[in-house]
Each structure stands twice: as structure tokens, then as C-alpha cells.
Coordinates of all heavy atoms in Angstrom, one line a residue:
M1 N 18.4 11.9 -11.1 CA 17.1 11.3 -11.2 C 16.2 12.1 -10.2 O 16.4 12.3 -9.1 CB 17.1 9.8 -10.8 CG 15.8 9.2 -11.1 SD 16.0 7.4 -10.9 CE 14.4 6.9 -10.3
M2 N 15.0 12.6 -10.8 CA 14.1 13.4 -10.0 C 13.3 12.5 -9.1 O 13.0 11.4 -9.4 CB 13.2 14.2 -10.9 CG 14.0 15.2 -11.7 SD 12.9 16.2 -12.7 CE 11.9 17.0 -11.5
D3 N 12.9 13.1 -8.0 CA 12.0 12.4 -7.1 C 10.6 12.2 -7.7 O 10.1 13.2 -8.3 CB 11.9 13.1 -5.7 CG 13.1 12.9 -4.9 OD1 13.9 12.0 -5.2 OD2 13.3 13.7 -4.0
D4 N 10.0 11.1 -7.5 CA 8.6 10.9 -8.0 C 7.7 11.6 -7.0 O 7.7 11.2 -5.8 CB 8.3 9.4 -8.1 CG 7.0 9.1 -8.7 OD1 6.1 10.0 -8.7 OD2 6.9 8.0 -9.3
P5 N 6.8 12.5 -7.4 CA 5.9 13.2 -6.5 C 4.9 12.2 -5.9 O 4.2 12.5 -4.9 CB 5.3 14.2 -7.3 CG 5.4 13.8 -8.7 CD 6.7 13.0 -8.8
R6 N 4.8 11.0 -6.5 CA 3.8 10.1 -6.0 C 4.5 9.0 -5.1 O 4.2 7.9 -5.2 CB 3.1 9.4 -7.2 CG 2.3 10.3 -8.0 CD 2.1 9.7 -9.4 NE 3.4 9.6 -10.1 CZ 3.5 9.2 -11.3 NH1 2.5 8.9 -12.0 NH2 4.7 9.1 -11.8
M7 N 5.4 9.5 -4.3 CA 6.1 8.6 -3.4 C 5.2 7.9 -2.4 O 4.1 8.5 -2.1 CB 7.2 9.3 -2.7 CG 8.4 9.6 -3.6 SD 9.1 8.2 -4.3 CE 10.0 7.5 -2.9
P8 N 5.6 6.8 -1.9 CA 4.7 6.0 -0.9 C 4.3 6.8 0.3 O 3.3 6.5 0.9 CB 5.5 4.8 -0.5 CG 6.5 4.6 -1.7 CD 6.7 6.0 -2.2
S9 N 5.0 7.9 0.6 CA 4.6 8.7 1.8 C 3.2 9.2 1.8 O 2.7 9.6 2.8 CB 5.7 9.8 2.0 OG 5.7 10.6 0.9
Q10 N 2.6 9.3 0.6 CA 1.3 9.8 0.4 C 0.2 8.8 0.7 O -1.0 9.1 0.7 CB 1.1 10.4 -1.0 CG 2.1 11.5 -1.3 CD 1.8 12.1 -2.6 OE1 0.9 11.7 -3.3 NE2 2.6 13.1 -3.0
A11 N 0.6 7.6 1.1 CA -0.4 6.5 1.2 C -1.0 6.5 2.6 O -2.0 5.7 2.8 CB 0.2 5.2 0.9
G12 N -0.6 7.3 3.5 CA -1.1 7.2 4.8 C -0.8 5.9 5.5 O 0.3 5.4 5.5
L13 N -1.8 5.3 6.2 CA -1.6 4.1 6.9 C -1.1 2.9 6.1 O -0.3 2.1 6.5 CB -2.9 3.7 7.6 CG -3.4 4.5 8.8 CD1 -4.7 4.0 9.3 CD2 -2.4 4.6 9.9
C14 N -1.5 2.8 4.9 CA -1.1 1.7 4.0 C 0.4 1.7 3.9 O 1.0 0.6 3.7 CB -1.7 1.9 2.6 SG -3.5 1.7 2.6
E15 N 1.0 2.8 4.0 CA 2.5 3.0 3.8 C 3.2 2.0 4.8 O 4.2 1.4 4.4 CB 2.9 4.4 4.1 CG 4.3 4.7 4.3 CD 5.0 4.7 3.0 OE1 4.4 5.0 2.0 OE2 6.2 4.4 3.0
S16 N 2.7 1.9 6.0 CA 3.4 1.1 7.0 C 2.6 -0.2 7.4 O 2.9 -0.8 8.5 CB 3.7 1.9 8.2 OG 2.5 2.4 8.8
C17 N 1.6 -0.5 6.6 CA 0.8 -1.7 7.0 C 1.3 -3.0 6.5 O 1.8 -3.1 5.4 CB -0.6 -1.4 6.4 SG -1.8 -2.7 6.9
V18 N 1.2 -4.0 7.3 CA 1.6 -5.3 7.0 C 0.8 -5.9 5.8 O 1.2 -6.8 5.1 CB 1.6 -6.2 8.2 CG1 0.2 -6.6 8.6 CG2 2.4 -7.5 8.0
N19 N -0.4 -5.4 5.6 CA -1.3 -6.0 4.6 C -1.2 -5.4 3.2 O -1.9 -5.8 2.3 CB -2.7 -5.8 5.1 CG -3.0 -6.6 6.4 OD1 -2.7 -7.8 6.5 ND2 -3.6 -5.9 7.3
V20 N -0.3 -4.4 3.1 CA -0.2 -3.8 1.8 C 0.7 -4.5 0.8 O 1.7 -5.1 1.3 CB 0.2 -2.3 1.9 CG1 1.7 -2.1 2.1 CG2 -0.3 -1.5 0.7
Q21 N 0.4 -4.4 -0.5 CA 1.4 -4.8 -1.5 C 1.5 -3.7 -2.5 O 0.5 -3.3 -3.1 CB 0.9 -6.1 -2.2 CG 1.9 -6.5 -3.3 CD 1.5 -7.8 -3.9 OE1 0.8 -8.6 -3.3 NE2 1.8 -8.0 -5.2
I22 N 2.7 -3.1 -2.6 CA 2.9 -2.0 -3.5 C 3.1 -2.5 -4.9 O 3.9 -3.4 -5.2 CB 4.1 -1.2 -3.1 CG1 3.8 -0.5 -1.7 CG2 4.4 -0.1 -4.1 CD1 5.0 0.3 -1.1
V23 N 2.3 -1.9 -5.8 CA 2.3 -2.3 -7.2 C 2.8 -1.2 -8.0 O 2.2 -0.1 -7.9 CB 0.9 -2.8 -7.7 CG1 0.9 -3.2 -9.1 CG2 0.5 -4.0 -6.8
R24 N 3.7 -1.4 -8.9 CA 4.2 -0.3 -9.8 C 3.8 -0.6 -11.2 O 4.1 -1.7 -11.7 CB 5.7 -0.1 -9.6 CG 6.1 0.6 -8.3 CD 7.5 1.0 -8.3 NE 7.8 1.9 -7.2 CZ 8.0 1.5 -6.0 NH1 8.0 0.3 -5.7 NH2 8.3 2.4 -5.0
S25 N 3.2 0.3 -11.9 CA 2.9 0.1 -13.3 C 4.1 0.4 -14.2 O 5.1 0.9 -13.7 CB 1.7 1.0 -13.7 OG 2.2 2.4 -13.8
D26 N 3.9 0.0 -15.4 CA 5.0 0.2 -16.4 C 5.3 1.7 -16.5 O 6.4 2.1 -16.9 CB 4.6 -0.4 -17.7 CG 4.5 -1.9 -17.7 OD1 5.1 -2.5 -16.8 OD2 3.9 -2.5 -18.6
R27 N 4.3 2.5 -16.3 CA 4.5 4.0 -16.4 C 5.0 4.6 -15.1 O 5.2 5.8 -15.1 CB 3.2 4.6 -16.8 CG 2.6 4.2 -18.1 CD 1.4 4.9 -18.5 NE 0.9 4.6 -19.8 CZ -0.1 5.1 -20.4 NH1 -0.7 6.1 -19.8 NH2 -0.5 4.7 -21.6
G28 N 5.3 3.8 -14.1 CA 5.9 4.3 -12.9 C 4.9 4.8 -11.9 O 5.2 5.3 -10.8
S29 N 3.6 4.6 -12.1 CA 2.6 4.9 -11.1 C 2.6 3.8 -10.0 O 3.0 2.7 -10.2 CB 1.2 4.9 -11.7 OG 1.1 5.9 -12.7
V30 N 2.3 4.3 -8.8 CA 2.4 3.4 -7.7 C 1.0 3.2 -7.1 O 0.2 4.1 -6.9 CB 3.3 4.0 -6.5 CG1 3.3 3.1 -5.3 CG2 4.7 4.2 -7.1
F31 N 0.6 1.9 -6.9 CA -0.7 1.6 -6.4 C -0.5 0.8 -5.1 O 0.5 0.0 -5.0 CB -1.5 0.7 -7.4 CG -1.7 1.5 -8.7 CD1 -0.8 1.3 -9.8 CD2 -2.8 2.3 -8.8 CE1 -1.0 2.0 -10.9 CE2 -3.0 3.0 -10.0 CZ -2.1 2.8 -11.1
Y32 N -1.4 0.9 -4.2 CA -1.4 0.2 -2.9 C -2.5 -0.9 -2.9 O -3.7 -0.5 -2.8 CB -1.5 1.2 -1.8 CG -0.4 2.1 -1.7 CD1 -0.3 3.2 -2.5 CD2 0.7 1.8 -0.9 CE1 0.8 4.0 -2.5 CE2 1.8 2.6 -0.9 CZ 1.9 3.7 -1.7 OH 3.0 4.5 -1.7
L33 N -2.1 -2.1 -3.1 CA -3.0 -3.2 -3.1 C -3.2 -3.7 -1.7 O -2.2 -4.1 -1.0 CB -2.5 -4.3 -4.0 CG -3.4 -5.5 -4.4 CD1 -2.9 -6.1 -5.6 CD2 -3.6 -6.5 -3.3
C34 N -4.5 -3.7 -1.2 CA -4.7 -4.2 0.1 C -5.0 -5.7 0.1 O -6.0 -6.2 -0.5 CB -5.9 -3.5 0.7 SG -6.4 -4.1 2.4
R35 N -4.1 -6.5 0.7 CA -4.3 -7.9 0.6 C -5.4 -8.5 1.4 O -5.9 -9.6 1.2 CB -2.9 -8.6 1.0 CG -1.8 -8.3 0.0 CD -0.6 -9.1 0.3 NE 0.1 -8.6 1.5 CZ 1.3 -8.9 1.8 NH1 2.1 -9.6 1.0 NH2 1.8 -8.4 2.9
L36 N -5.9 -7.7 2.3 CA -7.1 -8.1 3.0 C -8.3 -8.2 2.1 O -9.3 -8.9 2.4 CB -7.4 -7.1 4.2 CG -6.5 -7.2 5.4 CD1 -7.0 -6.3 6.5 CD2 -6.4 -8.6 5.9
S37 N -8.3 -7.5 1.0 CA -9.4 -7.5 0.1 C -9.6 -8.9 -0.5 O -10.7 -9.2 -1.0 CB -9.1 -6.5 -1.1 OG -8.0 -6.9 -1.9
Q38 N -8.6 -9.7 -0.5 CA -8.8 -11.1 -1.0 C -9.6 -12.0 -0.1 O -10.2 -13.0 -0.6 CB -7.4 -11.7 -1.2 CG -6.6 -10.9 -2.2 CD -5.1 -11.3 -2.2 OE1 -4.7 -12.2 -1.4 NE2 -4.3 -10.7 -3.0
S39 N -9.8 -11.6 1.1 CA -10.5 -12.4 2.1 C -11.6 -11.7 2.8 O -12.5 -12.3 3.5 CB -9.6 -13.1 3.1 OG -8.9 -12.0 3.8
D40 N -11.7 -10.4 2.7 CA -12.7 -9.6 3.4 C -13.2 -8.5 2.5 O -12.5 -7.6 2.1 CB -12.0 -9.0 4.6 CG -13.0 -8.4 5.6 OD1 -14.1 -7.9 5.1 OD2 -12.8 -8.4 6.8
P41 N -14.5 -8.5 2.1 CA -15.1 -7.6 1.2 C -15.1 -6.2 1.8 O -15.4 -5.2 1.0 CB -16.5 -8.1 0.9 CG -16.8 -9.0 2.1 CD -15.5 -9.6 2.5
R42 N -14.9 -6.0 3.0 CA -14.9 -4.6 3.6 C -13.7 -3.8 3.0 O -13.7 -2.6 3.1 CB -14.8 -4.7 5.1 CG -16.0 -5.2 5.8 CD -15.8 -5.3 7.3 NE -14.6 -6.1 7.6 CZ -14.0 -6.1 8.8 NH1 -14.5 -5.4 9.8 NH2 -13.0 -6.9 9.1
F43 N -12.7 -4.5 2.5 CA -11.5 -3.8 2.1 C -11.4 -3.7 0.6 O -11.5 -4.8 -0.1 CB -10.3 -4.4 2.7 CG -10.2 -4.4 4.2 CD1 -10.7 -5.5 4.9 CD2 -9.8 -3.4 4.9 CE1 -10.7 -5.6 6.3 CE2 -9.8 -3.4 6.3 CZ -10.3 -4.5 7.0
P44 N -11.3 -2.5 0.0 CA -11.2 -2.4 -1.4 C -9.8 -2.9 -1.8 O -8.8 -2.8 -1.1 CB -11.3 -0.9 -1.7 CG -10.9 -0.3 -0.4 CD -11.3 -1.2 0.7
R45 N -9.8 -3.5 -3.0 CA -8.5 -4.0 -3.5 C -7.4 -2.8 -3.6 O -6.3 -3.0 -3.2 CB -8.7 -4.6 -4.9 CG -7.5 -5.2 -5.5 CD -7.8 -6.0 -6.8 NE -6.7 -6.5 -7.5 CZ -6.1 -7.6 -7.3 NH1 -6.5 -8.4 -6.3 NH2 -5.0 -8.0 -8.0
Y46 N -7.9 -1.7 -4.1 CA -7.0 -0.5 -4.1 C -7.7 0.6 -3.3 O -8.5 1.4 -3.9 CB -6.8 -0.1 -5.6 CG -6.0 -1.1 -6.4 CD1 -6.6 -1.9 -7.3 CD2 -4.6 -1.2 -6.2 CE1 -5.9 -2.9 -8.0 CE2 -3.9 -2.2 -6.9 CZ -4.5 -3.0 -7.8 OH -3.8 -3.9 -8.5
P47 N -7.4 0.7 -2.1 CA -8.0 1.7 -1.2 C -7.6 3.1 -1.7 O -6.5 3.4 -2.1 CB -7.5 1.4 0.2 CG -6.2 0.7 -0.1 CD -6.4 -0.1 -1.3
P48 N -8.6 4.1 -1.6 CA -8.2 5.4 -2.0 C -7.3 6.0 -0.9 O -7.5 5.9 0.3 CB -9.6 6.2 -2.0 CG -10.5 5.3 -1.1 CD -10.0 3.9 -1.2
I49 N -6.2 6.6 -1.4 CA -5.2 7.1 -0.5 C -5.2 8.6 -0.4 O -5.7 9.2 -1.4 CB -3.8 6.6 -0.9 CG1 -3.4 7.1 -2.3 CG2 -3.7 5.1 -0.8 CD1 -2.0 6.8 -2.7
P50 N -4.8 9.2 0.7 CA -4.2 8.5 1.8 C -5.3 7.9 2.7 O -6.4 8.5 2.9 CB -3.5 9.7 2.6 CG -4.3 10.9 2.2 CD -4.8 10.7 0.8
V51 N -5.0 6.7 3.2 CA -5.9 6.1 4.2 C -5.5 6.6 5.6 O -4.3 6.5 6.0 CB -5.7 4.5 4.2 CG1 -6.4 3.9 5.3 CG2 -6.2 4.0 2.8
I52 N -6.4 7.2 6.3 CA -6.1 7.8 7.6 C -6.7 7.0 8.7 O -6.4 7.3 9.9 CB -6.6 9.3 7.6 CG1 -8.1 9.4 7.3 CG2 -5.8 10.2 6.7 CD1 -8.6 10.8 7.5
A53 N -7.6 6.1 8.4 CA -8.2 5.3 9.5 C -8.6 4.0 8.8 O -9.2 4.0 7.8 CB -9.4 5.9 10.1
C54 N -8.2 2.9 9.5 CA -8.5 1.6 8.9 C -8.6 0.5 10.0 O -7.6 0.4 10.7 CB -7.5 1.2 7.8 SG -7.8 -0.4 7.0
V55 N -9.6 -0.3 10.0 CA -9.8 -1.3 11.0 C -8.8 -2.5 10.8 O -8.5 -3.3 11.7 CB -11.2 -1.8 11.2 CG1 -12.1 -0.7 11.6 CG2 -11.7 -2.4 9.9
G56 N -8.3 -2.6 9.6 CA -7.4 -3.7 9.3 C -6.0 -3.4 9.4 O -5.1 -4.2 9.2
Y57 N -5.7 -2.2 9.7 CA -4.3 -1.7 9.8 C -3.5 -2.5 10.9 O -3.9 -2.6 12.0 CB -4.2 -0.2 10.1 CG -2.8 0.3 10.3 CD1 -2.0 0.4 9.2 CD2 -2.3 0.6 11.6 CE1 -0.7 0.9 9.4 CE2 -1.1 1.0 11.8 CZ -0.2 1.2 10.7 OH 1.0 1.6 10.8
Q58 N -2.4 -3.0 10.5 CA -1.4 -3.6 11.4 C -0.1 -3.1 11.0 O 0.4 -3.3 9.9 CB -1.4 -5.1 11.3 CG -2.7 -5.8 11.8 CD -2.6 -7.3 11.7 OE1 -1.8 -7.9 12.3 NE2 -3.5 -7.9 10.9
V59 N 0.6 -2.5 12.0 CA 1.9 -1.9 11.7 C 2.9 -3.0 11.3 O 2.9 -4.1 11.9 CB 2.5 -1.1 12.8 CG1 2.8 -2.0 14.0 CG2 3.7 -0.3 12.4
R60 N 3.7 -2.8 10.3 CA 4.8 -3.7 9.9 C 5.9 -3.5 10.9 O 6.4 -2.5 11.1 CB 5.3 -3.3 8.5 CG 5.3 -4.4 7.5 CD 5.7 -4.1 6.1 NE 6.4 -2.9 5.9 CZ 5.9 -1.8 5.2 NH1 4.7 -1.8 4.8 NH2 6.7 -0.8 5.0
L61 N 6.3 -4.6 11.5 CA 7.3 -4.6 12.6 C 8.7 -4.4 12.0 O 9.5 -3.9 12.7 CB 7.2 -5.8 13.4 CG 5.9 -6.0 14.2 CD1 5.9 -7.3 15.0 CD2 5.6 -4.8 15.1
K62 N 8.9 -4.7 10.8 CA 10.2 -4.5 10.2 C 10.1 -3.4 9.1 O 9.7 -3.7 8.0 CB 10.7 -5.8 9.5 CG 10.9 -6.9 10.5 CD 11.5 -8.1 9.7 CE 11.8 -9.3 10.7 NZ 12.2 -10.5 9.9
P63 N 10.3 -2.2 9.5 CA 10.1 -1.1 8.6 C 11.0 -1.1 7.4 O 10.7 -0.5 6.4 CB 10.4 0.2 9.4 CG 11.2 -0.3 10.6 CD 10.8 -1.7 10.8
D64 N 12.1 -1.9 7.4 CA 13.0 -2.0 6.3 C 12.6 -3.1 5.3 O 13.1 -3.2 4.3 CB 14.4 -2.2 6.8 CG 14.5 -3.4 7.6 OD1 13.5 -3.9 8.2 OD2 15.7 -4.0 7.7
A65 N 11.6 -3.9 5.7 CA 11.2 -4.9 4.8 C 10.3 -4.3 3.7 O 9.4 -3.6 4.0 CB 10.4 -6.0 5.6
T66 N 10.5 -4.7 2.5 CA 9.7 -4.2 1.4 C 8.4 -4.9 1.3 O 8.4 -6.2 1.4 CB 10.5 -4.4 0.1 OG1 9.6 -3.9 -0.9 CG2 10.9 -5.8 -0.2
P67 N 7.3 -4.2 1.2 CA 6.0 -4.8 1.0 C 5.8 -5.2 -0.4 O 4.7 -5.6 -0.8 CB 5.1 -3.7 1.5 CG 5.8 -2.4 1.1 CD 7.3 -2.7 1.3
E68 N 6.7 -4.9 -1.3 CA 6.5 -5.2 -2.7 C 6.4 -6.7 -3.0 O 7.1 -7.4 -2.5 CB 7.6 -4.5 -3.6 CG 7.5 -3.0 -3.4 CD 8.5 -2.3 -4.4 OE1 8.5 -2.7 -5.5 OE2 9.2 -1.4 -4.0
G69 N 5.5 -7.0 -3.9 CA 5.4 -8.4 -4.3 C 6.5 -8.8 -5.3 O 7.2 -7.9 -5.8
S70 N 6.7 -10.0 -5.5 CA 7.7 -10.5 -6.4 C 7.2 -10.6 -7.8 O 6.0 -10.6 -8.0 CB 8.3 -11.8 -5.9 OG 7.2 -12.7 -5.8
Ligands
SF4_1 S1 -5.6 -3.0 5.9 FE1 -6.1 -0.8 5.7 S2 -4.1 0.2 6.1 FE2 -3.6 -1.9 5.6 S3 -3.3 -2.0 3.5 FE3 -5.4 -2.5 3.7 S4 -6.5 -0.5 3.5 FE4 -4.3 -0.1 3.8

């Protein structure tokens, strides 16, 4: 199986942020949904990646925990 060139490593800060929810489309595309967008209009629902600076960024303390939604 080939590696997907759109791997999460291209997401910048969102990659390791506690506020992200990774969404995968049926076609295999990966989107980064910022959950802060639900309560704060400063944050876009799908921030343009890579995000290199963000006031809402909080590092995920458990790097092995998946940010994917159920
Ligand atoms: S708070 Fe910032 S870094 Fe975190 S998911 Fe939202 S846009 Fe990405």
C-alpha cells in the first residue's frame, strides 16, 4: 500500500493540537476540523494548512491518542 502524500504531517500545528478533529472523506482526502470554530468565530472550521501560528493551539499531551472523531 502506497503512502498517501497528504499525510497529517502537512498540517503544521493542527497535527498535534488538542482542538483538531481529523476528517477523512470517502475519497481518502484528509481534512482538519478545528473544534474551536464551534465556539469562537476567529477560527475557521477547516483552517488552511499548514497552520504555522495559532492562538488557539494547545499541544496534545498524549501524542498516541487519535484526534479522529467517532
Ligand atoms: S486551534 Fe489552531 S492549531 Fe488547533 S486545530 Fe484549531 S486551527 Fe489548528
